Amino acid sequence: MQHVLRVLKPEDYFIEDEPYYEPVGDEIPVFEAAYRNSLPILLKGPTGCGKTRFMEHMAWRLHRPLITVSCHDDLTSSDLVGRFLVKGGETIWVDGPLARAVRAGGICYLDEVVEARKDTTVVIHPLADDRRVLPMEKLGELLEAPDTFCLAISYNPGYQSVLKDLKQSTRQRFVALEFDYPGSALEQKIVEKESGIASALARQLVKFAHMTRNLKGQGLDEGASTRLLVHAAKLMVSGVAPVVACRSAIAQALTDDPDMLAAVNELGASLF
Amino acid sequence: MKLDAALSADALEELMEAYLDAALSSRRDASQPARDLAAFGRRGQQFVLHWGAVIAKDNAELAYQFTAFAPRAMRLMDLDAVESWLLYAMDLYDKKGQIPAIRAFQQVADFAANMQERLAGMALEDCSAVLERFVCGLNGRPLKIAPADIPYTDTESVFLPPILGRLPDKEANFRLYKAMAVHQWAQNWYGTWRAGLLLEALDSGRLAPRDLAIFHVLETFRLDACIARDYPGLRRDMTALRLELDGEDSGWRSAVDRLTEPGSDVRETLRLVEALRGRPPRPCCYRGELQPDAVRTRLAIRSALEQDRFRIALAKMLEDQDGAPPGEDRPEAETLPETRDRLATRRHEDPDSPNGVRFDLMLDGKPVAPPEDVISTMESIIQDHGEIPPEYLVAAGPGLYKRGLGDDERAAESVWAGTYHEDGAFPYDEWDHSRQHHRKGWCILREHPVPPSDPDFYYQTLRKYGGLIKSIRRTFEVLRGEDRLLKRQSDGEDVDIDALVDAYADVHAGLEMTDRLFTRMHKDERNIAVMLMVDMSGSTKGWINQAEREALILLAEALDTLGDRFAIYGFSGWTRKRCEAYPVKTFAQAYDEDAKARICGIAPRDYTRMGVAIRHLSHLLAEQEARVKLLITLSDGKPDDYDHQYRGEYGIEDTRQALFEARLNGIHAFCITIDETGADYLPHMYGPANYAVICDVSKLPLKVSDIYRKLTS
Ligand SMILES: Nc1ncnc2c1ncn2[C@@H]1O[C@H](COP(=O)(O)OP(=O)(O)OP(=O)(O)O)[C@@H](O)[C@H]1O
Ligand SMILES: [Mg+2]
C-alpha cells in the first residue's frame, strides 16, 4: 500500500473529518457565540484535558484552518509576526504564523501563551480588542483581520509561577472558557472511544485517575490527565498488562519522586 | 564410618569434653548438649565443635554456654546467622565481660528474631512515606502514618508497628504493612466509625467492651468485602496474606453472608454481634485493634472545628448572594437562626462515593458550588456523619467569625514558639552513612525570628570599610546585566546593514554569502539567586561573629548594587529535635533598615548541625526562579552537635549527602570557612573547587565579596 503524502501550509489545511470531541459543558455554543461576535477566546485548564482537541473540533465545525503555535520562553514577536530573510541575495519578508492566520482568516491558537516572553504577548493586544489589527512594525504596516479570523490562547493556571502569570491587560481582552477533567462517566466514554478498550477496564482507569487526583497538592503537582488515561488504554489494547500500562503511561509521567512513584504504582496495582 | 555421616551423642560428648574440660564438674557434664547436637547433620556438628574449641581458648565457661545453646540457635537460624550470633556474644565479652556475653548466648531467640527482622524485615520509617501517599490516593480524608505496637486508627492517623518481620522478605513484609494500612483506611472510608453508631453502642452498653473484639472480626469481613469489590488487586494481596499467616477460614464466612453484600453498613455488623457472641475470634494478620477512646477524642475536636468552619463558609456564601455579610446588626451572635430556612442539602445517587450518595448544597432553593476548601470540609463531615447533619446548616454570625480568627492567631504564635503540634516544624531526613540510608523525618527544624539589634554596627562597618565598599561597588557594577546589541546573527529582530553590505560585496566577488545578517537585542540578565547560610553556632562567639556580620554587610551592599536576589539565614541548633533557622533576610524581603538591623542582630547560639540546615535552605532556594542558584555557607568549623553521634564522620557524611541532594536540585554550593583545617574535610563535602579557607579572620569581609565576584562572573 502506498501513501500519498500531501504537503500543505497550515493556513490551507481544512480539517475534513470530525475530530472526536465530547463536550463537557456549554463550551461549544459559547465558543460559537464568541466567534460570531469576533471576540478572542482564552482556554483555561490543566494539561491533557482536551483543549487542543476542542480547538480542532471547533476549526472543523466552523470550516476554518487552524494554525497552532506552541509558545516557549524564547518565542519573540518576530517569531509570531514575521521577519526579513535573505533569499538569493535579496532580503524578503516572511510572514510568521500569526500573520499568516490573519491573512487566511483562520483560527490562530497560541498554546501555553504565558510561556512566551512578555513583549510577545503584547503584540496580540491590538488583535484581541475591537481594533482587530496586527501591527507589523518592521514593515510599517497594519494587517487588518477579516471577520473569519479568530484568536484563541490557552493557559494553565495550575502550575505557573507568579512570575509567569497572565497580565490583567491581556486576560481581560478574552472570553474565558474553563476546562477541567470530565466527570467519571464521560471520561470513561472518552477513554473507550479513543482507545477501543473494554468498558470495565476503562472504568478502572478512570478510578485510577481519581486516585492520582486525590494526591494533587499532597506531593503531586497534577493528577493523571485524560490524555494519560488514553495512552494507558492504548497500551492495554495492544496487550500490555494493565499494571504495567499504568506504570509506564501514567505513574512515570506524573512524578520522579521515588516514594510517590512507589505509592502511585501500588495504587495502580490495587485496581487490577 | 563415612566422613560426612552425623556423629552419635556419645561420640559428640567425648569430643566436647576434650575442649570443655575446665567448665565441667560433677554437677555439669556435656551429655545434654551432646544429645541436642546429635540431631543435626555432620556439617552443623562440625561447626559447633570447631567454634566451641576456638572459644574455649578464651574462656571455657563461654565455650560451654555456646555449645549448650548452639543447637537451639541452629534451629532458629542458618549457620551464617549463628556465626554472627556467636561473634556478637564474643564481642560483648571483649568489651563488657563474661556476664553480658553469657546472657547473649542464652537469649538466642531474641537475637534470631532481631536478625530475621534486620535481614527481611521492613521498618515503618522506610515505607511510611509511600504508605501515606498510597492511603491518601485511595480516597477520603488524608491519614498520617505513625508508629504503635498494634495497628489502629484514630480517624486522622493510621498507627502501624515500627517494624515487621513476620514474612521472609522485605517485599512481603511491605505487603503486610500495606494490608494493615488499607484495613485502617477502610474503617475510615467504609464507615466503621460513621455517624457515631459504634461509639454510641459502646456508650449505651448495647455493645459490651468484651464484645468489641468479635465486632471487629465481623466488621473486618464487611470491610474486606467492600475492598474486594472496589480494589481487586488489594483483595488478591490480602487474601494471599491471610492464607499464609492465618490459615484457612473455619466456617466463619457462611455465618457472615449478609455482611459481605453491597450496601450493608456498620449497623448490620452490630446486629450480628448478638448472634455470634462467644465464638472464638478468627485471627487476622492485618486487623490490629479498635481504639474507640482515641477515635472519640479526635472526632470531638474535629467535629467542633468543622462545624464552625462550615458555618463560616455558609456565612460567606450568603454574603456573596446578598451583597452584605449576614447578621451585621448582632456582632456577638455565633449563629444566625433565621438563615436555617434558606439552607438545605440535596441527596444524589453517586456510585463513586462510599455510601453511594453525594450531597449538593442548596441556598434559597438553588444548588450552589462551594469553593474547593469548603468542599473538602464537607467531604470530611460526610465521611464522619454520613450526611451534613441538619444542625450544621445555619450560617455563622460575626461572633463565631471573630472567635475563629482569634484561634488562628493564637495557633500561629504558638507555632513560632515551637510548642504547638508539629506545625511550623519542618521534618527533614538525615543521612546515616553507617547504615547507608536516610533516617526519615529525623530532624525537626523551626524558623525563629531574629531580633533586630542596634543598626549602629552597620554604620560603623560602612565607615570602617568605606573605601573598600566603593571599590567593591565599582567592580560589581561592571557585572550588572545590560542590553547588548548582538551583530551578525543568523536570526534576529533587524537587518544588520553592515553585514548586508559585506555580504553583497562577497556575492559580487563570487564568494558564498553568509546568512549571519541580523542584529538581535540580548539582555544579559544575571538571573542569580543567592542564599547565604551563616553559622550561628556558639563557637563563633566574639570576633568571628563580628567578622561574619561585617562580611555580610559588605556582601549585601554589593549584591544590592548588582541586583542579584539574595537571602540571609542563620542556622544553629541543639540536637536533632531542635534545629533552628533564623531568617535574617528572606528572598521576598527588601534589603532595608530592618534587614540591616537584623544582620547586626546575628548572635551566636548553639551547635552546627549542618545537614538539616542545608536541606531547609536549599529547599527555599530551589523554589526561586533563577538560572543560577547559589548556596554560600559561612562557617567556622566542622559539622557538630551536642549529641556525639553527629560529630566526626557522621556529620561530615550527612552534610555531604545534603549538598549532593541540593546539587540534584540545581543548586551550586560553596563554603567559606575560617577553620584552618578546612582543607582536610571540605573537598570531601563540597568538592575540590567549591570552598575557600580564610586564615585571617579580619580578611573575611574583604575576601567574601571577592570570592562572590569570581564565582558569578
Ligand atoms: N472532551 C474530550 N473529548 C474527546 N477527547 C478528549 C476530551 N478530553 C480529552 N480528550 C483526550 O485527551 C487527549 C489530550 O487532550 P488535548 O491534547 O486536547 O489536551 P490539552 O488540554 O490540549 O493539553 P495541553 O494543555 O497539555 O496541551 C486527547 O488527545 C483526547 O484523546
Ligand atoms: Mg494542547
Side-chain angles (χ1 to χ4, degrees):
Chain A
M1 198 177 85
Q2 205 174 354
H3 273 292
V4 183
L5 294 177
R6 295 183 302 164
V7 179
L8 289 176
K9 297 218 172 84
E11 63 268 32
D12 299 333
Y13 176 63
F14 288 81
I15 299 171
E16 281 158 16
D17 299 325
E18 172 174 356
Y20 166 62
Y21 180 76
E22 204 65 65
V24 177
D26 47 12
E27 64 270 29
I28 295 182
V30 174
F31 189 106
E32 282 177 337
Y35 181 78
R36 274 196 301 277
N37 288 288
S38 302
L39 297 173
I41 291 140
L42 164 65
L43 312 184
K44 280 205 251 188
T47 180
C49 67
K51 298 186 294 292
T52 301
R53 179 62 65 86
F54 173 68
M55 287 309 298
E56 287 170 350
H57 182 83
M58 291 316 294
W60 167 83
R61 225 167 224 277
L62 300 167
H63 306 289
R64 301 313 314 161
L66 176 65
I67 294 113
T68 303
V69 184
S70 304
C71 302
H72 50 82
D73 52 3
D74 271 345
L75 191 87
T76 63
S77 50
S78 343
D79 289 329
L80 282 179
V81 178
R83 58 163 51 94
F84 284 106
L85 287 180
V86 179
K87 259 188 195 162
E90 271 180 287
T91 57
I92 55 159
W93 173 261
V94 178
D95 273 345
L98 184 57
R100 291 213 301 272
V102 173
R103 283 191 215 276
I107 300 178
C108 186
Y109 177 44
L110 305 179
D111 208 351
E112 290 292 355
V113 74
V114 278
E115 291 295 332
R117 287 169 36 164
K118 286 254 151 55
D119 58 316
T120 317
T121 31
V122 179
V123 306
I124 62 176
H125 280 187
L127 204 52
D129 53 34
D130 51 12
R131 289 172 279 173
R132 303 233 329 148
V133 290
L134 177 64
M136 315 231 278
E137 267 173 40
K138 288 191 198 130
L139 283 179
E141 289 172 4
L142 281 179
L143 193 58
E144 204 179 345
D147 286 345
T148 57
F149 170 77
C150 169
L151 179 65
I153 63 179
S154 82
Y155 158 64
N156 179 351
Y159 45 62
Q160 268 113 13
S161 72
V162 278
L163 295 175
K164 285 186 172 169
D165 213 5
L166 203 56
K167 276 200 302 208
Q168 281 297 327
S169 60
T170 306
R171 66 195 299 164
Q172 292 208 7
R173 287 176 150 78
F174 290 80
V175 172
L177 288 178
E178 194 165 359
F179 284 71
D180 204 346
Y181 304 124
S184 303
L186 199 58
E187 191 163 34
Q188 180 184 335
K189 183 170 166 200
I190 294 171
V191 173
E192 283 173 41
K193 285 231 176 165
E194 288 282 293
S195 65
I197 197 170
S199 313
L201 287 174
R203 221 183 114 223
Q204 295 300 78
L205 270 175
V206 171
K207 218 158 126 185
F208 182 44
H210 283 265
M211 288 173 153
T212 64
R213 290 169 200 167
N214 289 338
L215 284 165
K216 180 171 173 179
Q218 311 274 347
L220 276 188
D221 292 335
E222 265 315 324
S225 63
T226 312
R227 172 190 295 127
L228 293 187
L229 301 190
V230 171
H231 289 179
K234 284 181 174 164
L235 294 185
M236 282 154 72
V237 170
S238 306
V240 178
V243 176
V244 180
C246 285
R247 186 164 24 190
S248 349
I250 300 178
Q252 296 285 356
L254 288 179
T255 179
D256 293 321
D257 174 70
D259 288 339
M260 185 50 91
L261 205 54
V264 173
N265 282 331
E266 289 295 342
L267 287 169
S270 73
L271 283 171
F272 296 101
Chain B
M1 195 175 80
K2 271 205 286 178
L3 195 70
D4 51 358
L7 300 173
S8 70
D10 287 344
L12 286 168
E13 188 171 349
E14 205 170 306
L15 289 164
M16 284 176 180
E17 275 168 356
Y19 66 81
L20 288 179
D21 190 38
L24 301 177
S25 66
S26 55
R27 278 174 292 124
R28 180 154 94 176
D29 61 25
S31 62
Q32 185 59 42
R35 270 199 300 281
D36 290 345
L37 193 58
F40 289 87
R42 181 63 181 264
R43 189 161 156 259
Q45 293 176 338
Q46 214 60 57
F47 175 89
V48 175
L49 294 173
H50 164 74
W51 279 105
V54 171
I55 296 170
K57 282 191 199 121
D58 271 337
N59 183 316
E61 177 58 27
L62 288 181
Y64 177 80
Q65 297 290 344
F66 166 72
T67 311
F69 284 96
R72 190 141 145 226
M74 292 194 299
R75 248 173 274 126
L76 290 167
M77 299 177 276
D78 63 14
L79 284 187
D80 285 343
V82 175
E83 190 172 318
S84 337
W85 165 67
L86 76 91
L87 291 175
Y88 162 72
M90 292 312 289
D91 195 40
L92 273 183
Y93 170 65
D94 291 342
K95 289 194 186 119
K96 299 198 174 146
Q98 181 173 315
I99 307 280
I102 292 179
R103 209 174 297 130
F105 278 131
Q106 292 175 344
Q107 290 167 353
V108 56
D110 290 352
F111 183 89
N114 261 325
M115 189 76 187
Q116 169 63 20
E117 287 194 343
R118 262 213 310 270
L119 290 176
M122 188 80 208
L124 184 61
E125 60 169 23
D126 290 337
C127 62
S128 62
V130 175
L131 290 172
E132 208 161 281
R133 287 165 177 76
F134 173 71
V135 170
C136 176
L138 284 177
N139 228 328
R141 184 186 305 125
L143 298 165
K144 293 205 163 48
I145 303 282
D149 287 343
I150 301 176
Y152 74 95
T153 179
D154 65 2
T155 69
E156 286 181 14
S157 297
V158 165
F159 295 87
L160 300 172
I163 189 161
L164 279 184
R166 286 189 69 181
L167 289 151
D169 59 75
K170 275 196 197 305
E171 205 204 310
N173 284 312
F174 174 73
R175 270 205 302 283
L176 183 54
Y177 261 132
K178 197 173 68 171
M180 287 172 170
V182 165
H183 177 78
Q184 301 301 331
W185 163 82
Q187 288 179 21
N188 286 291
W189 184 244
Y190 295 114
T192 301
W193 306 100
R194 188 157 303 144
L197 292 172
L198 174 55
L199 293 175
E200 213 171 87
L202 283 164
D203 291 343
S204 69
R206 272 185 298 120
L207 183 69
R210 72 186 128 78
D211 290 336
L212 193 60
I214 201 82
F215 167 86
H216 197 185
V217 173
L218 295 171
E219 181 69 353
T220 305
F221 276 106
R222 187 180 76 82
L223 298 180
D224 282 349
C226 295
I227 295 167
R229 272 191 298 276
D230 291 346
Y231 304 94
L234 283 178
R235 193 233 347 238
R236 226 179 304 115
D237 274 2
M238 292 167 84
T239 318
L241 280 168
R242 291 200 76 167
L243 218 55
E244 184 166 357
L245 295 173
D246 305 331
E248 291 289 342
D249 172 19
S250 50
W252 269 93
R253 191 163 295 280
S254 54
V256 296
D257 260 0
R258 298 238 305 281
L259 286 180
T260 56
E261 274 161 30
S264 76
D265 64 17
V266 64
R267 272 174 289 230
E268 204 71 45
T269 318
L270 282 166
R271 266 195 291 278
L272 257 185
V273 172
E274 232 19 74
L276 295 173
R277 172 180 295 139
R279 269 209 190 203
R282 185 187 175 213
C284 173
C285 54
Y286 51 73
R287 188 170 56 210
E289 63 187 11
L290 298 176
Q291 293 242 9
D293 292 335
V295 172
R296 194 177 286 113
T297 317
R298 280 275 151 235
L299 197 66
I301 299 174
R302 184 172 60 239
S303 288
L305 204 79
E306 287 180 345
Q307 175 173 311
D308 285 357
R309 217 181 273 161
F310 182 67
R311 286 174 172 171
I312 290 174
L314 291 177
K316 286 201 187 120
M317 277 186 242
L318 282 169
E319 181 179 343
D320 286 349
Q321 175 100 342
D322 303 346
E328 270 182 309
D329 48 332
R330 280 157 295 158
E332 298 310 318
E334 297 216 335
T335 57
L336 305 171
E338 74 278 11
T339 59
R340 279 190 192 281
D341 293 342
R342 302 177 61 190
L343 296 159
T345 52
R346 192 170 60 187
R347 256 173 104 93
H348 272 289
E349 300 294 311
D350 179 7
D352 288 343
S353 70
N355 31 8
V357 284
R358 190 162 49 83
F359 293 86
D360 278 347
L361 198 55
M362 312 285 287
L363 174 58
D364 296 333
K366 283 189 221 81
V368 279
E372 200 68 38
D373 57 322
V374 180
I375 292 181
S376 74
T377 305
M378 275 176 71
E379 280 173 353
S380 177
I381 294 171
I382 293 167
Q383 208 180 325
D384 281 339
H385 300 276
E387 59 171 359
I388 303 283
E391 71 268 22
Y392 279 44
L393 287 166
V394 60
L400 184 63
Y401 211 87
K402 252 183 272 158
R403 182 153 65 80
L405 281 180
D407 285 354
D408 280 357
E409 266 165 37
R410 202 167 56 234
E413 261 172 44
S414 35
V415 164
W416 282 116
T419 48
Y420 181 71
H421 259 278
E422 290 289 71
D423 287 344
F426 302 88
Y428 283 99
D429 296 353
E430 189 165 279
W431 177 252
D432 181 340
H433 73 105
S434 60
R435 291 207 256 157
Q436 286 294 304
H437 127 134
H438 279 102
R439 293 164 174 251
K440 293 277 151 62
W442 188 246
C443 296
I444 303 297
L445 180 139
R446 292 185 175 80
E447 288 193 358
H448 294 279
V450 185
S453 141
D454 186 357
D456 207 33
F457 180 82
Y458 167 77
Y459 295 104
Q460 276 173 21
T461 309
L462 288 198
R463 274 195 297 281
K464 180 168 166 191
Y465 294 98
L468 181 60
I469 288 178
K470 267 200 209 108
S471 87
I472 292 177
R473 280 224 182 101
R474 260 198 311 279
T475 35
F476 274 56
E477 257 159 19
V478 180
L479 295 176
R480 197 159 54 190
E482 256 142 49
D483 274 346
R484 267 189 303 144
L485 188 65
L486 300 180
K487 305 194 82 177
R488 294 180 194 274
Q489 300 291 305
S490 56
D491 183 4
E493 287 98 25
D494 271 305
V495 177
D496 183 341
I497 300 294
D498 297 341
L500 198 61
V501 171
D502 289 349
Y504 258 95
D506 286 349
V507 171
H508 285 294
L511 297 172
E512 194 182 339
M513 186 172 148
T514 168
D515 63 349
R516 301 184 150 270
L517 297 171
F518 299 92
T519 61
R520 188 153 55 113
M521 280 305 262
H522 181 73
K523 184 149 177 91
D524 267 333
E525 273 177 281
R526 279 178 58 84
N527 204 353
I528 294 180
V530 201
M531 171 65 82
L532 299 165
M533 168 170 151
V534 188
D535 189 343
M536 280 170 59
S537 63
S539 56
T540 59
K541 198 166 178 155
W543 54 317
I544 299 181
N545 172 263
Q546 181 178 334
E548 272 184 357
R549 285 184 293 157
E550 288 178 358
L552 284 174
I553 290 170
L554 259 58
L555 186 57
E557 292 294 308
L559 291 171
D560 208 35
T561 318
L562 264 178
D564 285 0
R565 261 169 301 148
F566 68 104
I568 304 173
Y569 278 74
F571 74 99
S572 173
W574 182 296
T575 75
R576 67 186 178 92
K577 297 206 167 146
R578 276 181 39 195
C579 307
E580 293 157 357
Y582 295 86
V584 177
K585 178 196 165 308
T586 65
F587 282 110
Q589 282 168 340
Y591 178 58
D592 54 12
E593 288 306 305
D594 291 342
K596 288 168 189 167
R598 282 191 301 269
I599 296 184
C600 300
I602 293 178
R605 310 254 165 187
D606 307 312
Y607 287 89
T608 327
R609 204 175 190 102
M610 267 175 96
V612 60
I614 291 173
R615 287 186 181 93
H616 184 63
L617 300 188
S618 55
H619 179 76
L620 297 177
L621 180 54
E623 283 173 350
Q624 293 298 310
E625 282 268 341
R627 200 167 303 148
V628 179
K629 296 174 190 172
L630 201 56
L631 173 74
I632 300 182
T633 309
L634 288 187
S635 158
D636 77 334
K638 278 186 209 170
D640 183 19
D641 201 349
Y642 176 76
D643 47 287
H644 291 281
Q645 187 198 31
Y646 203 79
R647 257 168 226 180
E649 207 179 344
Y650 183 100
I652 289 180
E653 292 300 323
D654 174 50
T655 306
R656 177 172 191 237
Q657 181 71 20
L659 289 166
F660 177 72
E661 291 156 19
R663 264 195 297 280
L664 288 183
N665 269 323
I667 290 170
H668 303 267
F670 194 90
C671 179
I672 301 173
T673 187
I674 51 159
D675 181 4
E676 284 168 30
T677 66
D680 298 342
Y681 55 89
L682 286 172
H684 180 61
M685 298 194 316
Y686 282 81
N690 297 327
Y691 71 96
V693 177
I694 293 168
C695 298
D696 181 358
V697 179
S698 63
K699 294 270 165 58
L700 186 69
L702 185 148
K703 287 280 189 174
V704 167
S705 301
D706 200 35
I707 289 167
Y708 184 78
R709 186 176 57 78
K710 287 195 188 121
L711 268 177
T712 63
S713 52

